[in-house]
Amino acid sequence: MTAPRRPLALITGASQGIGAATARLLAPRYDLVLGGRDEKRLEALAGELTEAGPVAVRTVAVELTDDDALAAALDGIDRLDALVHSAGVGELGTVAETTAQTWRHQFDVNVVAVAETTRLLLPALRAAGADTGADVVLVNSGSGLTARAGWGSYAASKFALRAFGDALRAEESGHGIRVTSVHPGRVDTAMQERVVAHEGGEYDGSRFLRPESVGAAILAALTATRDAHLTEIVVRPQG
């Protein structure tokens, strides 16, 4: 008697932060494809996960904004149960000081690469969706709900990511695909350290959400019974 097939999840930005935390939480339930730019970190995480339990892990070191490399990296995935978009950049600055290059880079990584990755994987997601259902999770931001001074280009990219999620949800619900936007507040990550430095503050990670807390929200969206659809999840630091 053959063992039941384990579902497959692909996580972008899996080499650190929220992506890595999510991979650790999903490993008991899913086989994994870990995407990111840092091959050494991806391999180290894959080794950690396979040593801890019976999970199949594949790593994909790729620059998400390189369309040809991305298509080649994702080729051969014919069924995908969950796609978690955790990769992203956060470049801050006022409208007066933010260049066109920064605007383009932020949208390329936070929106265009997400859309292209999803487009390439839609046949695989639909294959799972027609059977047991599939999920797409977009790790957004509180800045995808409210724009503040000095966060213009980043917030605009996250508002666009939210709009992408809304459109994808409407288009793919008939294919058994759920789409969830997760909006964390500030999270204790390397990106947050850069943000605090930009603001001229002293970094104290205990003031922020743990990456594992955001990963838990992602897991909740993925494991909700199929009669339920968590379309948006907002997670804020306590206190």
Side-chain angles (χ1 to χ4, degrees):
M1 192 172 178
T2 58
R5 183 193 69 86
R6 280 170 59 94
L8 179 66
L10 188 153
I11 305 170
T12 70
S15 61
Q16 59 183 330
I18 294 170
T22 301
R24 293 185 179 100
L25 288 171
L26 264 56
R29 298 170 179 263
Y30 290 82
D31 288 336
L32 298 171
V33 179
L34 306 178
R37 291 184 299 174
D38 192 322
E39 187 171 6
K40 288 184 177 180
R41 284 189 177 183
L42 291 175
E43 292 293 345
L45 178 58
E48 171 195 328
L49 296 176
T50 53
E51 185 176 341
V55 55
V57 183
R58 169 188 165 194
T59 62
V60 176
V62 65
E63 173 54 65
L64 292 175
T65 57
D66 184 333
D67 295 343
D68 292 338
L70 180 63
L74 300 180
D75 186 43
I77 299 176
D78 55 10
R79 179 187 171 106
L80 186 65
D81 300 273
L83 172 58
V84 179
H85 290 286
S86 183
V89 295
E91 299 181 35
L92 307 187
T94 64
V95 172
E97 64 192 11
T98 303
T99 65
Q101 181 180 3
T102 296
W103 280 92
R104 291 190 184 102
H105 177 63
Q106 201 129 237
F107 270 77
D108 276 349
V109 176
N110 293 348
V111 186
V112 178
V114 171
E116 180 63 2
T117 301
T118 304
R119 184 186 72 83
L120 291 169
L121 290 170
L122 266 180
L125 288 162
R126 287 172 175 173
D131 184 9
T132 56
D135 289 276
V136 176
V137 177
L138 308 169
V139 179
N140 199 297
S141 168
S143 293
L145 300 170
T146 304
R148 296 184 292 142
W151 294 66
S153 65
Y154 176 69
S157 73
K158 291 299 188 178
F159 269 68
L161 181 63
R162 183 184 178 198
F164 168 77
D166 289 346
L168 183 68
R169 184 182 305 114
E171 292 169 2
E172 295 299 324
S173 62
H175 294 286
I177 299 173
R178 301 185 298 194
V179 179
T180 302
S181 289
V182 179
H183 296 268
R186 292 193 168 199
V187 185
D188 181 16
T189 62
M191 188 175 89
Q192 195 63 236
E193 291 187 42
R194 293 191 294 272
V195 169
V196 172
H198 174 84
E199 295 172 331
E202 184 174 340
Y203 192 79
D204 178 4
S206 66
R207 295 166 46 211
F208 308 127
L209 287 165
R210 295 178 300 118
E212 294 78 9
S213 299
V214 183
I218 294 169
L219 180 62
L222 295 178
T223 56
T225 54
R226 297 311 297 186
D227 63 305
H229 188 164
L230 280 64
T231 57
E232 287 192 343
I233 301 175
V234 179
V235 188
R236 293 285 182 266
Q238 179 66 34

